[in-house]
Amino acid sequence: MAIIVHHLNNSRSQRVLWLLEELGVDYEIRHYQRDAVTNLAPPELKAVHPLGKSPLLEIDGRVIEESGAIVQVLCERYGSGAWLPAAGSDEALRHLELMHFAEGSAMTPILLQLYTSRLGDAAEPLKPRIDEQLASHFGYMEQILRPSGHFIGDDWTGADVMMSFPVEIAVMNGAGAHFPKLAAFVEAVHARPAWQSARAKGGAYFGM
């Protein structure tokens, strides 16, 4: 089964490469580079999907969009039961919540901060609310990390893969000094051989 990842540098598709490396699945990377001035994805991605966004996962010609859906499909098909909680369990429901939280609630203030940072003084009225929401969400993520260092159970799951991106953003924003569990989580992710292999194959990733 041919698997292609349409991968944009410095983007959320890095965690898809990481998961594929963890699962030991053969795949091909189609690389796309952000515009050096605008930091936007190149128009070539629109030839794969009308929104021109990444990640996109292609399996035998079927293009799957949205990070959460991609991670779910990969875990179901190739995880051998190890990357998802048992179906019908309380942990499975919690896993589902976090898969959506990672791209929904958690990313909203992060993206608002990113976009308004380009507005200069015009963003000042929004800044207190954005900062409050960032602190709230980062604090919540710190609170729900288990003693095991994982978001669900005591081993790696798809939720950890999905949560890795907002947690990395939190630590990059300096939150690691206030949220040591988040900082430790990022260190644990980056120490994994699969993440390092994905990083080497994926190219530029936030200067890491």
Side-chain angles (χ1 to χ4, degrees):
M1 180 177 293
I3 296 178
I4 300 171
V5 181
H6 295 273
H7 172 66
L8 179 66
N9 68 308
N10 276 343
S11 79
R12 284 169 268 188
S13 63
Q14 182 65 31
R15 60 189 165 186
V16 174
L17 303 185
W18 169 37
L19 179 58
L20 284 163
E21 292 291 325
E22 292 281 5
L23 297 173
V25 178
D26 291 331
Y27 63 97
E28 174 189 343
I29 303 176
R30 301 275 174 86
H31 289 273
Y32 303 83
Q33 299 296 313
R34 293 184 181 276
D35 185 276
V37 176
T38 66
N39 204 41
L40 297 177
E44 288 82 3
L45 264 173
K46 289 190 175 181
V48 186
H49 188 279
L51 293 179
K53 294 179 180 286
S54 176
L56 296 167
L57 185 77
E58 191 171 343
I59 300 182
D60 288 343
R62 171 65 161 90
V63 175
I64 304 172
E65 59 186 294
E66 295 297 333
S67 298
I70 291 169
V71 169
Q72 184 75 24
V73 166
L74 290 176
C75 288
E76 288 178 352
R77 292 193 182 190
Y78 306 108
S80 301
W83 285 79
L84 294 172
S89 66
D90 287 342
E91 284 191 338
L93 178 56
R94 184 62 179 145
H95 189 274
L96 178 63
E97 289 178 330
L98 291 179
M99 292 283 282
H100 287 273
F101 171 83
E103 279 293 281
S105 298
M107 285 304 298
T108 298
I110 289 172
L111 290 173
L112 283 172
Q113 182 190 51
L114 173 64
Y115 295 146
T116 58
S117 68
R118 301 171 182 173
L119 299 178
D121 292 342
E124 285 302 310
L126 291 172
K127 191 174 185 302
R129 177 59 173 167
I130 294 172
D131 288 346
E132 182 273 328
Q133 283 294 292
L134 286 171
S136 175
H137 284 76
F138 294 164
Y140 176 67
M141 291 189 292
E142 173 86 359
Q143 176 187 343
I144 63 176
L145 259 174
R146 294 172 53 82
S148 64
H150 299 288
F151 283 96
I152 300 290
D154 297 325
D155 206 347
W156 297 97
T157 66
D160 290 317
V161 175
M162 286 298 295
M163 290 294 291
S164 66
F165 189 85
V167 173
E168 282 189 307
I169 296 298
V171 172
M172 286 172 55
N173 280 358
H178 303 286
F179 304 115
K181 290 196 292 185
L182 297 186
F185 177 82
V186 171
E187 289 182 6
V189 170
H190 290 183
R192 294 187 67 77
W195 191 92
Q196 295 169 15
S197 178
R199 167 65 181 83
K201 294 178 180 179
Y205 188 61
F206 301 121
M208 298 175 188

